[in-house]
Amino acid sequence: MALQAHSYHMVDPSPWPILGAAAALLTTSGLTMWFHYNSPRLLILGLISTALVMFQWWRDIVRESTFQGHHTPTVQKGLRYGMALFITSEAFFFLGFFWAFFHSSLAPTPELGGQWPPVGIKPLNPMEVPLLNTTILLASGITVTWAHHSITEANRKQAIQALLLTVLLGLYFTALQAMEYYEAPFSIADGVYGSTFFVATGFHGLHVIIGTMFLLVCLLRLIKYHFTSSHHFGFEAAAWYWHFVDVVWLFLYISIYWWGS
Amino acid sequence: VYCLFQALRQISQRTISTASRRLVNRVSENQKLFQEDNGLPVHLKGGAKDSLLYRTTAGLTLFGTMYAVYYLLVSSMPKKPN
């Protein structure tokens, strides 16, 4: 067994990067086949292979860290930088959609009736389900912080309770938002209002689902004793992501739901 | 409603404590398995299930890539008018 004179992680050769790239090819060309030739087969194949690669790649990272001990403080520092940079890139992604919203809403064109919301659009009441959704996400931010404190204090029972509650709140948000989408009196095809509303809130909802799944994986790992009170970066990364999702919602709520109504 | 909430709380607390009693800490077993000096890369080190899953993933992806390239070639060729 070779010994290393440094604290970095020299990974074993892995098939997941190239298979992941191929899966991305299948997913994107699958979208084209679906849009232009009405065939979802390639897209389904792409989504399944993406899911398989994700599962195995992250499974391997858990093996490398929890079971093989490769995540030294140096490695962890790199992972922290990586997660922070990734979340920053996601913030810029959402910034673009907010730009689009303000571009159209600050100076509404004559085609919209010179007003925002445009003529004929009945916006959702921000004091109803959207306000409930705001309280749900704020509460989930509190419960995820409670979970973190419980982990650092080695309180297993409370950590599991708090993280479970966080996941449930995330699912509740998604269910309510799905119902709102179904019941909304306007659709994505309703001009620039519909486009900006559904693309911005839609991508946010996708991030809520991703964040919920990340937290769920952390819950399963927490139950399986993977985290210690001083080393639980996977959980911290999930918590950072979750707070980011919460903040994006607050911006969405204030600008699109409230100011934009 | 408060009684319902309390009942839910009790059930979930009992379920969680039962589940965690059934779950034994297998981290040290897994540490032994994945640190075994058998030269296997981490993506295959878990055993036969790993190889099966890997071969399925690689197979699907390879087939899909060939399918995608085929349709790319087909759709980039002009249609012959009859």
Side-chain angles (χ1 to χ4, degrees), chain B residues 48-68:
Chain B
K49 264 187 9 206
D50 284 4
S51 324
L52 180 63
L53 201 53
Y54 163 66
R55 274 183 272 141
T56 308
T57 309
L60 277 173
T61 317
L62 186 65
F63 167 73
T65 305
M66 295 190 299
Y67 188 90

Side-chain angles (χ1 to χ4, degrees), chain B residues 20-36:
Chain B
S20 36
R21 259 187 274 132
R22 256 189 276 126
L23 263 159
V24 146
N25 188 341
R26 293 194 201 282
V27 173
S28 38
E29 286 171 37
N30 278 313
Q31 284 171 338
K32 191 159 158 276
L33 171 66
F34 289 104
Q35 289 179 40
E36 212 185 299

